[in-house]
Amino acid sequence: QRRVHGEEEGGNGDEEERDRSQLAKKSAAAAQLQACLAHWGAEHKDLPSNPETCPKEVPPHMWAQYTQNDTIRVVPEYKCQSGAAYAARRENYTIAMVENFLSKTRRGGWDKYGMTDEWLYKALDAFPFAGEDVVVMGSQTPWYESVCLARGARSCTTIDFQRIHSFHPNLTTMTLADYDENPRQFDVAISISSFEHDGLGRYGDPLRPDADLEALKKMKCVVRPGGRLILSVPIGLDTVVWNMHRVYGRVRLP
């Protein structure tokens, strides 16, 4: 009985030691995340968004920054996806909507970005994330969230400038402000046609000429060390399509 009791005590001691080790790892990861965000914030001051503002032209005093001293052309194409009226029209992410996308992605289907989805599937075949925590950066429909769920992610979270209402039990949504208040790290981040919009005001985000590059730097904090960022942006002749998006070429891409 003493021997069995001793084994039980030893077993409990092992469990307690594992618990302490896991707690220490979580504390260290949390401290690392806070330090990363503090360093990022010291260099890149986040500005409050103005959801009612979708500027139709590049502000003259920001022209040189947006065009990198006239080395990037500007092409006008305007769209406003912000404000109370737009929020009222935006669809909620219902269970039926997500399940419909899930069925489509399980069949290997594509959504609006066409071949980009095929390349994404190939990337996920090579670098699977089953059982890992995944974040989707920016969202208009729950398509990439459905890819995330179909590929067996342990959790799937969406971060967007604007509030998204999701009713699917396996999908969590938050705004950038929500994330900054309660930051965490993820194993994998997916950004498909997202960062090229940052800083142009189309989604009510503050005007910042380098917001796209700043967002990429912030991903070093959002994704844990050793994690992966799956990124897709438009490639071609350097262009700011105002206020829609950027196209990256020899000037901006490096």
Side-chain angles (χ1 to χ4, degrees):
Q1 288 180 344
R2 286 194 298 273
R3 181 178 63 81
V4 172
H5 181 66
E7 288 178 353
E8 290 176 350
E9 287 183 343
N12 290 337
D14 290 342
E15 290 179 4
E16 291 175 359
E17 181 62 30
R18 283 195 295 270
D19 290 343
R20 285 194 293 270
S21 176
Q22 291 175 357
L23 181 61
K25 289 180 180 179
K26 288 181 179 179
S27 297
Q32 181 184 50
L33 173 58
Q34 291 295 343
C36 182
L37 290 172
H39 176 74
W40 181 89
E43 294 184 351
H44 311 290
K45 177 67 174 177
D46 265 339
L47 301 174
S49 62
N50 183 353
E52 303 297 335
T53 300
C54 294
K56 293 186 176 181
E57 296 180 349
V58 180
H61 68 283
M62 292 182 168
W63 180 272
Q65 293 172 283
Y66 275 111
T67 64
Q68 293 186 218
N69 296 315
D70 289 318
T71 60
I72 296 175
R73 67 175 183 166
V74 175
V75 174
E77 185 176 348
Y78 179 77
K79 195 170 187 178
C80 188
Q81 292 175 272
S82 181
Y86 173 75
R89 298 193 308 270
R90 187 167 187 175
E91 288 187 284
N92 295 325
Y93 290 4
T94 64
I95 293 176
M97 181 188 293
V98 175
E99 291 297 325
N100 179 57
F101 281 140
L102 271 169
S103 177
K104 184 176 178 179
T105 188
R106 284 170 176 152
R107 298 193 305 268
W110 302 347
D111 202 49
K112 63 180 180 180
Y113 291 121
M115 273 300 296
T116 296
D117 293 340
E118 185 67 24
W119 297 327
L120 173 63
Y121 292 154
K122 291 180 179 180
L124 296 183
D125 288 340
F127 302 96
F129 53 54
E132 296 186 294
D133 296 318
V134 180
V135 62
V136 177
M137 302 302 298
S139 182
Q140 289 294 301
T141 70
W143 170 249
Y144 291 110
E145 292 85 342
S146 297
V147 173
C148 169
L149 296 175
R151 291 286 179 142
R154 177 170 54 194
S155 70
C156 185
T157 301
T158 298
I159 301 177
D160 194 79
F161 283 119
Q162 302 167 353
R163 179 73 58 193
I164 297 172
H165 298 286
S166 172
F167 298 98
H168 197 282
N170 298 327
L171 176 59
T172 300
T173 63
M174 61 175 63
T175 64
L176 286 172
D178 293 335
Y179 178 83
D180 288 339
E181 289 179 5
N182 294 286
R184 55 170 292 197
Q185 289 186 308
F186 299 88
D187 300 301
V188 179
I190 299 175
S191 176
I192 306 297
S193 189
S194 178
F195 292 149
E196 70 265 23
H197 302 290
D198 288 5
L200 304 182
R202 171 181 170 184
Y203 295 103
D205 48 311
L207 297 184
R208 292 215 305 263
D210 291 331
D212 54 337
L213 305 182
E214 293 169 9
L216 278 170
K217 289 181 179 179
K218 190 173 184 178
M219 295 310 294
K220 293 181 179 180
C221 305
V222 176
V223 178
R224 67 166 177 78
R228 287 97 69 203
L229 169 62
I230 300 171
L231 174 69
S232 174
V233 295
I235 302 297
L237 179 64
D238 284 281
T239 308
V240 175
V241 183
W242 189 273
N243 66 347
M244 294 283 286
H245 61 268
R246 299 174 182 84
V247 178
Y248 298 85
R250 294 182 181 274
V251 177
R252 189 74 172 175
L253 191 59

